[in-house]
Amino acid sequence: YYIKAAEISNHKTLTKNQYTATRPPKTKEMKRIIAIVAGGDSSEHDVSLRSAQGIKSFLEETEYVTYIVEIKGTKWEAHTGNGLRAKVDLNDFSFIDNGTKVKPDYAYITIHGTPGENGILEGYFDLIKLPYSTSDVLVEAMTFNKFALNQFLSAQGVNIAKSVLIRKGQAARPTDKDIINTVGLPCFVKPNAGGSSFGVTKVKHAEDLDTAIDKAMAESPEVIIESFMQGTEITCGCYKTKTSGVVFPITEVVTSNEFFDYNAKYNGQVKEITPARLSAETTARVQAETSKIYDLLGCRGIIRIDYILTGTQGNEQINLLEINTTPGMTATSFIPQQVRAAGLKMSDVLSDIIEDSFC
């Protein structure tokens, strides 16, 4: 159910012992201080904090020392225990805990949205030379901007929905008729730079298009309008290090909602099936596509790619929806589900990613 990324071209499946053998050995001296950076300035601030608690719980099985650092605008605070918080010194990302200066060795970024998922925070960490868990500034900025990402990957042969981009204040904005002629109905209206939980509307009638655009504009100054694709929604996680990589089992997403919206994601209005009910051949193709996209972009850390499969069963077309570079990390989120389905432990996966920066 999980594949070593280096061998994905011929779809060899690893045993758990083979996977473990690729991991760097732990040492008794491992006492790195890990800052789990959460919060951010998007509507998913509180969701991000839940992911941070999940990561902290996974890392409790390791020998790392962990702190959650919450960001909200210019207010950066470390949670130091017992409800106490300490202001972060932005000169070196340090803070005071019980009279002692604490300077993290590593930042595990789990912000869903700005500034952690669009390259801004990564640029800061690059400046102060603090290693972090996500891809670099360019990759984060590109994956956060759905339209830019789609144009790049489409040129690389990845199947993408037809789309139109609208900017706030745009002088020559496409007319509703032009938009519908390009993407058709129904269509999806989404914030172009943002997550997929807020500001998203499935538009079935032309007269509802402007309202949906206004809703998306409240989340982002740019809006992407995409054609609707009918099919099976799936998601697949992947991470790679300098020595190895793993593509996780695929999750099938089934919801009676119009689409995989906030209520489906966070209020249980969804059925998540891991591994997905796909043929072995389709599973292998999706995992190979995930590995290919990871390499095309030059990603780091864990990513999760969402797809829609269209066409006849066993011969489906794989269509990319979006890429999550800071995927949810609660115990019930997709990535932990996929890690468990692979017979692996989240603590080992996170340790792999962290230690890769020090190899």
Side-chain angles (χ1 to χ4, degrees), residues 216-255:
M217 284 283 186
E219 296 288 330
S220 167
E222 294 183 340
V223 171
I224 185 171
I225 305 170
E226 294 181 319
S227 58
F228 170 72
M229 294 180 289
Q230 182 70 50
T232 302
E233 185 164 352
I234 59 171
T235 186
C236 183
C238 175
Y239 81 96
K240 300 185 182 184
T241 67
K242 296 181 183 72
T243 58
S244 66
V246 174
V247 180
F248 297 126
I250 300 164
T251 299
E252 181 181 349
V253 181
V254 182
T255 179

Side-chain angles (χ1 to χ4, degrees), residues 4 8 46 80 119 137 157 174 184 238 244 255 259 263 265 322 345:
K4 186 175 180 181
I8 198 153
D46 292 347
T80 55
V137 172
C238 175
S244 66
T255 179
F259 59 96
N263 284 324
K265 283 184 179 181
E322 67 175 73
K345 294 176 64 177

Side-chain angles (χ1 to χ4, degrees), residues 42-43 144 146 164-169 173 179 187-203 208-226 259:
S42 78
S43 300
F144 194 68
K146 296 179 179 67
V164 173
L165 181 70
I166 295 177
R167 293 186 174 93
K168 184 176 288 187
R173 172 182 149 175
I179 293 170
C187 62
F188 278 104
V189 179
K190 309 175 182 178
N192 186 50
S196 57
S197 297
F198 295 92
V200 181
T201 306
K202 182 179 179 181
V203 175
D208 298 328
L209 194 56
D210 287 343
T211 300
I213 291 171
D214 290 342
K215 180 180 176 181
M217 284 283 186
E219 296 288 330
S220 167
E222 294 183 340
V223 171
I224 185 171
I225 305 170
E226 294 181 319
F259 59 96

